[in-house]
Amino acid sequence: MLETAAPETAAPPAPPVAWRALLAVAAGKLAIHLPLAGAYGFHRDEWYYLACGRRLAWGYVDHPPVAPLVARLVEEVAGPSLVALRTVPALLGAAIVVLAGLMAREMGGRAWAQGLAATAVLASPIFLLTHHLFQTVVFDQLAWAAATLLVLRLARTGDSRLWLAVGAVAGVGLLAKHTVALFGIGLVAGIVATPLRRQLRSPWPWAGGALALAIVLPNLLWQAAHGWPSLEFARNNNADMADELGVAGFLGVQAAFVGPLVLVLFAAGVAFLCGRRGRPFRWAGVLWLAVTALLLAIGGKPYYPAPSWPAVLAAGAVAAEALAAARGWRRLRGAVPAAVVLASLPLAWVAL
């Protein structure tokens, strides 16, 4: 029988899911995006995915097959409708804010922390921008969020069998956007650098990796048959990106993408993950740091680390909830989420 590795210290059961708060934030997300779905006409990338969808294949020069397949399905049902096409990223974005709240729950956050984590992701300009357009980016973010939630649950419960689900999500994610490979690289760094490395004694993480590889194999075979065009595209697309922005510019753009008050919550999340209470989940902080450092080194785009941010924001929400409870700041329960949203409005106006 396969063994299930246990966590170094048993974590308490997760609090109840705050479905009312999470669904309210998700509804707010849809209320923002759906009325604006027809604004400004088709983006050039949206035309591109529709065109690719009319020529379905296991791969394309600059992306895997999932986005064109979804675009094809939307066109088959609703025709070349911009509103219908952009309903997809709006729905996926609503799912991502719910997943962010569930991440806070896995780290011990009660209803307020779960709602705050979801609100922080909703209010971040990068997520407002990327959930407004039909592009591969939103599929990438959803895959990272789902896989991150699974690993957080694994870290809390010690159920190594969850690696199979992580592998399945990562494999499907790789069929949507190749940058999901960055999640794998960051996760390996997080495993090696934290107590999660005890999981490597179990066969389950290796089985999960094999499953991810099996799922993405058709795209890899297509890439090999066509001379690995996506690697060449990536090299050209990211050329000199690091030199153009520099370290300060790269990090500055990320700070703007996170948003002003949300950035404070992000810093609180980093502190939480470095502390004793966040030790079982520290791998998520290492993942963010490793991915950011790697992209700085190779010249990646500054929004590429964004899928790693919801976990850090969820950690910050848990830290904020604990601080408010310790200080008796009950008035902050409504004020903090409202302030997060209001502070992001100027950048949200630009993003939308």
Side-chain angles (χ1 to χ4, degrees):
M1 181 178 294
L2 296 177
E3 296 181 356
T4 300
E8 188 170 328
T9 56
V17 178
W19 285 119
R20 184 177 299 178
L22 296 182
L23 293 178
V25 178
K29 178 77 170 171
L30 293 176
I32 292 170
H33 288 286
L34 292 181
L36 300 173
Y40 300 110
F42 283 92
H43 186 276
R44 61 186 181 186
D45 288 354
E46 291 170 325
W47 282 122
Y48 181 32
Y49 297 127
L50 283 169
C52 291
R54 295 173 184 177
R55 299 163 179 83
L56 292 176
W58 276 109
Y60 302 86
V61 169
D62 55 339
H63 56 269
V66 164
L69 175 60
V70 174
R72 172 67 173 270
L73 293 174
V74 171
E75 188 173 23
E76 290 288 337
V77 172
S81 166
L82 179 59
V83 172
L85 193 65
R86 289 186 177 170
T87 297
V88 174
L91 290 171
L92 298 185
I96 290 169
V97 299
V98 171
L99 291 172
L102 296 177
M103 291 179 200
R105 172 182 177 265
E106 291 299 330
M107 289 185 266
R110 296 185 293 276
W112 188 76
Q114 294 174 39
L116 179 58
T119 301
V121 173
L122 178 148
S124 295
I126 184 61
F127 296 112
L128 288 171
L129 173 62
T130 54
H131 300 167
H132 178 60
L133 301 173
F134 183 92
Q135 295 179 319
T136 56
V137 178
V138 68
F139 296 96
D140 181 44
Q141 294 170 355
L142 180 65
W144 283 56
T148 298
L149 177 63
L150 289 167
V151 182
L152 286 172
R153 179 165 298 178
L154 187 154
R156 178 178 64 82
T157 64
D159 186 357
S160 301
R161 294 169 296 181
L162 286 169
W163 285 116
L164 285 178
V166 174
V169 170
V172 174
L174 285 166
L175 288 177
K177 191 168 176 64
H178 293 128
T179 47
V180 172
L182 294 172
F183 172 82
I185 295 170
L187 180 59
V188 169
I191 290 172
V192 172
T194 69
L196 200 62
R197 60 181 170 269
R198 297 183 63 184
Q199 288 286 330
L200 296 177
R201 302 173 186 173
S202 162
W204 293 106
W206 309 101
L211 179 58
L213 181 61
I215 292 173
V216 77
L217 184 60
N219 177 251
L220 295 179
L221 294 174
W222 184 94
Q223 291 286 334
H226 292 80
W228 302 98
S230 292
L231 288 178
E232 181 67 19
F233 176 84
R235 281 194 292 266
N236 295 331
N237 194 39
N238 295 331
D240 301 322
M241 182 65 67
D243 294 336
E244 290 175 10
L245 289 175
V247 175
F250 186 91
L251 297 178
V253 171
Q254 288 198 45
F257 279 159
V258 173
L261 276 184
V262 180
L263 190 60
V264 176
L265 197 65
F266 192 94
V270 172
F272 174 87
L273 293 172
C274 291
R276 181 180 59 83
R277 188 181 174 194
R279 190 180 183 217
F281 315 109
R282 192 169 298 164
W283 64 268
V286 175
L287 184 152
W288 160 70
L289 189 61
V291 169
T292 302
L294 176 61
L295 290 170
L296 276 169
I298 66 176
K301 295 182 179 180
Y303 65 84
Y304 280 177
S308 66
W309 298 346
V312 183
L313 293 174
V318 175
E321 182 180 64
L323 178 63
R327 301 291 179 87
W329 294 340
R330 293 190 176 183
R331 294 182 179 179
L332 292 181
R333 289 188 172 275
V336 171
V340 165
V341 172
L342 290 173
S344 294
L345 283 179
L347 290 174
W349 180 267
V350 176
L352 293 170

